[in-house]
Amino acid sequence: TIINVNDEVKTLLKRSKFSPDFIDIFLNSDFLIVEKENDSMIGAGFIGGMLHSYGLEILEEYRGKGLGKKILYETVEECKKRNFSVITGVWKQTNLAPIKMHMKIGFIPIFNLYYNEKEGREIIVIMPLNKKGQLFVKLCKIFDSKLGNLFFAIFFKLITPCLLYTSPSPRD
């Protein structure tokens, strides 16, 4: 089921068994794709941010039952309806099952990024949904080297202040 994030959904998410990191992301998403059992959320995918970042969490006891694949396909279809050019994702390189699933339906590994010792190395993947998306994938391939990673880090550091939104302070 595709839902927009509103106050009611935020309350349900806060009461769910999802990890706190994912709940924070879910709360700030453009939309969610949710699987429920007995009115409880058991799996959810999200799309959010400027690059339509995608993520997914399935409660442990429901993994391996095809929910991730179902949510992924619903996400892709909804993104196409909304005329998104790309869907992006980031995965730990050791998380092979989701990487393989996403690559089967058209996600393309773009480059690896090393954050730090705690976070480790992650793989950036993009699924182009139209010609603009295909062009974006080609452009992003320049980051697939040590020099490219350095350039990406500098570029991202420079544009981050432009991407952050701070609400205006109330007037007295």
Side-chain angles (χ1 to χ4, degrees):
T1 307
I2 296 160
I3 56 175
N4 291 312
V5 181
N6 58 30
D7 290 338
E8 179 184 341
V9 170
K10 288 179 181 183
T11 301
L12 286 172
L13 284 167
K14 289 175 184 174
R15 283 193 235 141
S16 74
K17 296 178 183 176
F18 293 120
S19 66
D21 289 341
F22 265 88
I23 290 174
D24 285 345
I25 295 169
F26 289 157
L27 293 174
N28 295 303
S29 299
D30 295 337
F31 66 89
L32 300 173
I33 302 84
V34 176
E35 286 297 319
K36 291 182 179 180
E37 183 176 272
N38 301 326
D39 291 330
S40 294
M41 291 185 192
I42 60 171
F46 68 86
I47 289 287
M50 186 173 76
L51 296 176
H52 308 297
S53 184
Y54 167 73
L56 171 71
E57 185 168 1
I58 306 292
L59 296 181
E60 195 165 336
E61 59 269 29
Y62 296 94
R63 292 180 188 165
K65 299 179 181 185
L67 291 178
K69 185 183 278 188
K70 182 178 183 217
I71 290 171
L72 174 60
Y73 281 105
E74 285 185 49
T75 302
V76 170
E77 290 308 309
E78 184 65 18
C79 288
K80 286 177 181 178
K81 287 178 189 172
R82 294 180 186 221
N83 294 317
F84 290 178
S85 296
V86 295
I87 304 171
T88 61
V90 179
W91 287 278
K92 298 274 186 217
Q93 289 182 325
T94 55
N95 206 355
L96 294 178
I99 292 171
K100 286 179 183 178
M101 178 178 69
H102 287 79
M103 287 178 65
K104 279 183 185 177
I105 70 154
F107 277 81
I108 301 166
I110 301 299
F111 62 93
N112 294 301
L113 192 61
Y114 179 80
Y115 288 108
N116 55 46
E117 286 201 32
K118 181 183 176 196
E119 297 294 323
R121 188 172 299 278
E122 295 191 332
I123 186 169
I124 310 296
V125 296
I126 299 176
M127 181 177 193
L129 299 174
N130 56 31
K131 288 186 182 201
K132 278 192 223 174
Q134 292 168 351
L135 180 63
F136 183 70
V137 166
K138 288 178 184 177
L139 177 67
C140 287
K141 290 269 186 182
I142 65 171
F143 299 120
D144 194 18
S145 68
K146 286 184 180 182
L147 184 59
N149 270 210
L150 177 64
F151 177 70
F152 178 79
I154 292 168
F155 175 73
F156 195 73
K157 188 79 167 170
L158 291 173
I159 68 162
T160 297
C162 300
L163 300 176
L164 299 175
Y165 172 78
T166 54
S167 59
S169 57
R171 296 180 188 221
D172 293 319

